[in-house]
């Protein structure tokens, strides 16, 4: 059943231009995916919403866009060069490779393969370390390489720019620095579609604060981010959970970490991690760079190394959760209707303008004129490439909340029929009220 839902979603994403396999015409590359025309739009809406919520609607957070390739010493300081290793085991049954920390431990050296369910004996299939960092040769001379690293998280660019941001913005703590951008990990256990990719995008905030405020702010951020998924992204509460890490799961420097998990078709998995990282990152970068990254608190006349709360979200996993949550199959008059019940603000467009008959030039002209008149006020698409029934089905599949149909009567009475995606209810309204009608529904 779950596999069935996943394969339907993967197939819909390909068929309707949400997601394609990377380098597909050459056979593809494992765990690399491309976003198609509609996928790119929805992905942009997810990023824009996050960016606006945190960097524009709040005055305690500023934005940053730092580079992807970073100095080797950045990752020496962060611990990624040394410690960014996954222990992996091979299953001799199904020939797949799994992260040891993600598979079920049966007893002693025996684990259960999540693929074929056979036992994996770690005395036989020895766990091996794989470094997850991707490096690139920054030298123009092939045989004299010097290595730069593709960041495995956007966070390090934030830590490296902490003092730049502080001194250029004159902000005081608590201060968040937010960034959206690509990250790269040489993930060796792919699968599960866009859940685990080698090239992916993150939306991260490093929220710098005084040490004594960190526990309270950590709790606040866990709630803030959980509520964001419910209220702003529109995910169903029953598909969301907060999972607090046990003490022995925490990184040695972390005081707390909570995963916000989503019930994907393959089970509960991490959508976002919210961590209380203490002063570890700035202390490390101060040591390795030999620059003082501490903060002077003028009000209390004291100096300290800021602590940091990190809500770290994945753009692709949010996209995946949004599609899974919205995906719905219903029987309508004996036929299967596939519909994406997306939150309208995230849909690739809010309204589709459709002429009922394409062989009537005056209808086509009126429909196109309506599209040009409304497109700056609401996101819209004009489509006349099929008969109306088929156009409705296509718009349902991509999650368009409203279809606006222009028919012969529209020429005389200057009215159109608006069909709502979820209820399929139809309403006749004057052309000049389309924008108001759609906006009112969006507010409701
Ligand atoms: P996992 O345990 O699932 O590998 P993680 O704990 O390594 O995740 P973090 O380092 O906390 O992930 O990264 C923060 C967020 O970045 C994750 O919650 C996820 O949304 C996203 N992310 C991390 N790795 C990937 C990946 N390989 N592909 C897609 N998104 C990712």
């Amino acid at each position: 059943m779950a596999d069935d839902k996943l394969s339907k979603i993967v197939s819909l994403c390909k068929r309707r231009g949400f997601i394609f396999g990377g380098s597909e015409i050459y056979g593809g590359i494992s765990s690399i995916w491309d976003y198609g025309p509609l996928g790119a739009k929805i992905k942009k809406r997810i990023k824009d919403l996050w960016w606006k919520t945190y960097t524009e609607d709040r005055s305690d957070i500023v934005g940053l866009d730092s580079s992807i390739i970073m100095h080797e010493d950045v990752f020496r300081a962060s611990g990624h060069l040394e410690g960014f290793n996954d222990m992996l085991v091979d299953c001799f049954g199904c020939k797949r490779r799994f992260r040891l920390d993600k598979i079920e431990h049966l007893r002693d050296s025996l684990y259960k393969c999540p693929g074929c369910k056979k036992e994996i004996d770690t005395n036989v299939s020895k766990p091996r370390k794989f470094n997850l960092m991707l490096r690139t040769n920054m030298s123009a001379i092939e045989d004299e390489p010097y290595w730069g690293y593709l960041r495995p998280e956007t966070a390090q660019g934030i830590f490296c720019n902490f003092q730049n941001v502080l001194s250029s913005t004159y902000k005081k703590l608590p201060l968040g620095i937010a960034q959206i951008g690509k990250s790269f990990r040489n993930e060796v256990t792919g699968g599960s579609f866009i859940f685990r990719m080698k090239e992916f995008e993150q939306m991260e905030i490093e929220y710098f604060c005084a040490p004594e405020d960190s526990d309270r702010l950590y709790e606040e951020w866990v709630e803030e981010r959980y509520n964001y998924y419910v209220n702003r992204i529109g995910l169903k509460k029953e598909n969301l959970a907060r999972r607090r890490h046990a003490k022995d799961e925490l990184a040695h420097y972390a005081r707390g970490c909570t995963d916000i998990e989503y019930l994907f078709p393959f089970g509960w998995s991490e959508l976002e991690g919210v961590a209380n990282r203490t002063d570890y990152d700035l202390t490390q970068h101060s040591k390795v760079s030999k620059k003082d990254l501490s903060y002077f608190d003028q009000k209390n006349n004291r100096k300290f190394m800021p602590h940091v709360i990190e809500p770290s979200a994945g753009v692709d996993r949010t996209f995946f959760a949004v599609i899974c949550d919205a995906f719905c199959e219903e029987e309508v008059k004996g036929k299967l209707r596939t519909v994406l019940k997306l939150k309208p603000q995230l849909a690739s467009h809010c309204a589709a303008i459709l002429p009922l008959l394409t062989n009537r030039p005056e209808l086509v002209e009126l429909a196109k004129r309506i599209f040009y008149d409304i497109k700056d006020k609401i996101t819209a698409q004009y489509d006349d490439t099929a008969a109306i029934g088929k156009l409705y089905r296509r718009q349902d599949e991509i999650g368009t909340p409203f279809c606006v149909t222009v028919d012969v009567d529209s020429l005389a009475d200057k009215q159109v029929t608006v069909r709502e995606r979820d209820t399929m209810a139809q309403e006749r309204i004057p052309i000049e009220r389309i924008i108001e009608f759609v906006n009112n529904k969006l507010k409701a």
Side-chain angles (χ1 to χ4, degrees):
M1 179 62 191
D3 277 356
D4 193 35
K5 181 173 178 189
L6 182 61
S7 60
K8 282 178 183 170
I9 287 171
V10 174
S11 140
L12 174 73
C13 283
K14 160 106 197 205
R15 193 170 69 248
R16 299 313 319 276
F18 290 120
I19 291 170
F20 306 128
S23 308
E24 204 178 77
I25 59 167
Y26 293 101
I29 323 184
S30 86
S31 307
I32 301 275
W33 297 90
D34 295 339
Y35 283 79
L38 295 181
K41 277 194 181 190
I42 295 178
K43 189 181 183 196
K44 184 165 182 312
R45 300 210 193 295
I46 289 171
K47 291 192 284 184
D48 287 350
L49 182 65
W50 186 91
W51 188 256
K52 178 168 178 343
T53 306
Y54 294 110
T55 72
E56 288 167 19
D57 297 349
R58 289 177 63 145
S59 56
D60 58 339
I61 303 179
V62 294
L64 180 77
D65 185 3
S66 70
S67 54
I68 284 169
I69 300 176
M70 300 188 80
H71 198 288
E72 191 171 28
D73 284 345
V74 172
F75 302 110
R76 191 155 287 125
S78 69
H80 284 102
L81 271 187
E82 296 282 301
F84 205 48
N85 294 305
D86 272 353
M87 297 300 286
L88 300 176
V89 283
D90 291 314
C91 171
F92 295 131
C94 62
K95 310 270 183 273
R96 285 168 65 194
R97 183 169 283 160
F98 300 97
R99 270 169 62 173
L100 194 62
D101 64 335
K102 296 279 172 192
I103 67 177
E104 191 186 338
H105 187 198
L106 298 172
R107 62 190 177 280
D108 308 323
S109 63
L110 295 181
Y111 290 77
K112 185 168 168 189
C113 172
C116 65
K117 314 288 180 219
K118 287 196 177 137
E119 285 184 357
I120 300 175
D121 185 343
T122 49
N123 284 330
V124 183
S125 167
K126 296 257 182 275
R128 289 179 295 171
K129 266 190 183 176
F130 286 77
N131 195 295
L132 293 186
M133 294 262 284
L134 274 93
R135 67 177 184 178
T136 187
N137 186 1
M138 306 279 291
S139 159
I141 305 163
E142 266 291 298
D143 50 8
E144 288 172 24
Y146 88 88
W147 303 111
Y149 287 81
L150 307 192
R151 62 186 180 196
E153 56 182 28
T154 66
Q156 297 309 321
I158 299 180
F159 297 128
C160 292
N161 280 293
F162 172 65
Q163 285 293 0
N164 284 336
V165 172
L166 209 59
S167 59
S168 59
T169 59
Y170 305 99
K171 294 269 187 191
K172 304 265 177 288
L173 295 197
L175 172 67
I177 305 179
Q179 165 151 249
I180 299 178
K182 292 259 179 167
S183 295
F184 299 79
R185 295 183 190 179
N186 203 355
E187 304 274 11
V188 265
T189 56
S192 305
F193 197 34
I194 55 169
F195 182 80
R196 193 173 299 288
M197 300 154 89
K198 292 192 177 185
E199 175 179 343
F200 57 99
E201 240 173 316
Q202 291 182 306
M203 302 177 281
E204 295 194 294
I205 298 171
E206 302 304 323
Y207 198 78
F208 299 94
C209 62
E212 64 276 15
D213 294 335
S214 75
D215 288 341
R216 173 182 54 84
L217 287 167
Y218 164 65
E219 300 297 341
E220 282 179 19
W221 272 108
V222 171
E223 287 317 295
E224 160 63 29
R225 293 300 301 152
Y226 174 84
N227 290 331
Y228 179 91
Y229 286 110
V230 176
N231 300 325
R232 309 300 301 275
I233 299 289
L235 298 180
K236 297 182 189 90
K237 266 190 174 172
E238 64 267 30
N239 291 335
L240 279 170
R242 283 153 281 196
R243 191 181 69 80
R244 276 177 191 269
H245 285 209
K247 278 240 148 48
D248 59 356
E249 245 186 298
L250 290 176
H252 64 90
Y253 49 79
R255 261 176 83 85
C257 185
T258 299
D259 286 347
I260 297 176
E261 295 192 332
Y262 180 77
L263 185 55
F264 288 97
F266 42 82
W268 288 100
S269 300
E270 179 181 332
L271 193 56
E272 163 159 355
V274 182
N276 180 346
R277 299 179 60 93
T278 66
D279 60 355
Y280 173 77
D281 304 277
L282 290 181
T283 304
Q284 281 298 107
H285 283 298
S286 285
K287 266 192 214 151
V288 177
S289 69
K290 304 196 170 46
K291 305 275 179 337
D292 180 10
L293 300 180
S294 61
Y295 175 78
F296 183 66
D297 173 5
Q298 273 173 334
K299 207 165 131 207
N300 299 304
N301 196 26
R302 61 171 185 160
K303 199 172 158 181
F304 60 83
M305 196 57 91
H307 281 223
V308 71
I309 310 301
E310 179 190 73
S312 173
V315 177
D316 312 274
R317 286 190 192 174
T318 306
F319 181 100
F320 194 7
V322 162
I323 301 289
C324 292
D325 225 57
F327 182 85
C328 178
E329 285 181 325
E330 304 171 338
E331 204 182 290
V332 178
K333 293 187 190 141
K335 282 195 176 158
L336 191 72
R337 176 172 98 113
T338 303
V339 49
L340 277 190
K341 295 189 174 174
L342 292 173
K343 195 168 164 82
Q345 289 79 356
L346 295 179
S348 55
H349 44 266
C350 273
I353 316 300
L354 315 169
L356 186 65
L357 305 166
T358 49
N359 58 358
R360 294 280 300 265
E362 65 277 34
L363 269 194
V364 169
E365 195 199 324
L366 177 59
K368 283 187 177 165
R369 203 168 346 116
I370 293 174
F371 167 70
Y372 282 108
D373 287 347
I374 66 169
K375 72 177 173 47
D376 291 336
K377 303 280 187 327
I378 49 176
T379 53
Q381 187 194 50
Y382 171 81
D383 194 3
D384 63 6
T385 55
I388 196 72
K390 208 172 207 174
L391 290 181
Y392 281 158
R393 277 201 300 283
R394 285 189 194 161
Q395 295 296 335
D396 285 345
E397 263 196 342
I398 63 172
T400 309
F402 302 101
C403 285
V404 176
T405 308
V406 181
D407 57 24
V408 181
D409 290 343
S410 308
L411 295 168
D413 68 7
K414 304 279 178 278
Q415 298 207 4
V416 286
T417 303
V418 182
R419 171 189 178 269
E420 278 195 59
R421 176 194 67 199
D422 297 353
T423 59
M424 290 184 290
Q426 303 202 358
E427 197 174 326
R428 195 91 183 143
I429 63 162
I431 291 171
E432 74 260 17
R433 278 202 50 229
I434 297 174
I435 294 169
E436 181 196 334
F437 178 89
V438 171
N439 280 336
N440 282 346
K441 293 276 181 185
L442 292 185
K443 270 187 237 145

